[in-house]
Amino acid sequence: MKRFALIGAAGYIAPRHMRAIKDTGNELVSAYDINDSVGVIDSLSPQSEFFTEFERFYDHAWQLKRDPANALQYVSVCSPNYLHASHISAGLRLGCDVICEKPLVPTVSILENLALVERETGARVYNILQLRHHQAILSLKEKVAREARQQKYDVELTYITSRGKWYMESWKGDPRKSFGVATNIGVHFYDMLHFIFGNLQRNVVHFTSEYKAAGYLEYEKARVRWFLSIDANDLPDVVKGKKPTYRSITVDGEEMEFSEGFTDLHTISYQEILAGRGYGLEDARHCVETVEVIRSSVISAARDDESHPFLNTLSR
């Protein structure tokens, strides 16, 4: 049984980490969040200590470190995006391996700094890249690897996840803290595309705003038109008023079944990490580079063969 701490216990994604810790037979020893709305702990790890000040949380972890029988082995990070690097470094310096939500960090330079802290401490950082464990993604990756073809796959990625007015009032609506829509809701899709289709060769942004972004990515084996949005007005008529989320990936015009299979991906990620097969800093480098370029790119006019269909009809 491994002993875990969790940073960001009141966040949306934290219960999936708590569940993964429990379902892999491990123990959540302590948790921290500035928000005390963490009643979910009662149903998963009621014995866990809880702190609303980081200093007290860190001091408690440091005291545990003095006794090898009680020391923490892992720190899970679910805090706001802009705090990931600081919280990862803190966990490493406690002598713990760290499991961090996406996006790991916003820039390659910060990633390389974490690599330095890894070397200083001897501990490891693991990123939750859960789509790499989705069966539909694994099946497509195997298909692409089997097929010997000169022509690149034609891929269309559309992800619309409606968010209410609260979103822009929260840290997620502040690009200094979330790093914008493409990074916050898109980074794991960019990782997935790299995982399946190889290295990125071209990265063009056609549109970006507080609520949505669109562009074109060309990989070794695929040409990808992508569209991401948190605006319910962008939902297709077939789901508008019925579902708040629309997720579609087509490969050469064929829809990939991608609606199910998400529930247990965090638990699978934890199982792989605990078995020594987790995804580390270098695995995350490619998607970190991708979103860094997207955030800094000058908007380009979209060529017809590179333009996502939603680009001409979106609510701006």
Side-chain angles (χ1 to χ4, degrees), residues 1-3 25-27 73:
M1 180 180 288
K2 302 297 183 182
R3 293 166 60 80
N26 298 296
E27 179 184 7
Q73 282 104 27

Side-chain angles (χ1 to χ4, degrees), residues 58-99:
Y58 193 85
D59 185 62
H60 175 259
W62 191 261
Q63 291 183 46
L64 292 176
K65 186 180 178 182
R66 293 194 178 108
D67 180 2
N70 290 314
L72 298 170
Q73 282 104 27
Y74 287 88
V75 173
S76 296
V77 175
C78 305
S79 51
N81 300 350
Y82 73 107
L83 294 173
H84 284 180
S86 297
H87 288 155
I88 292 169
S89 294
L92 293 173
R93 290 182 175 118
L94 285 168
C96 299
D97 288 343
V98 178
I99 301 172

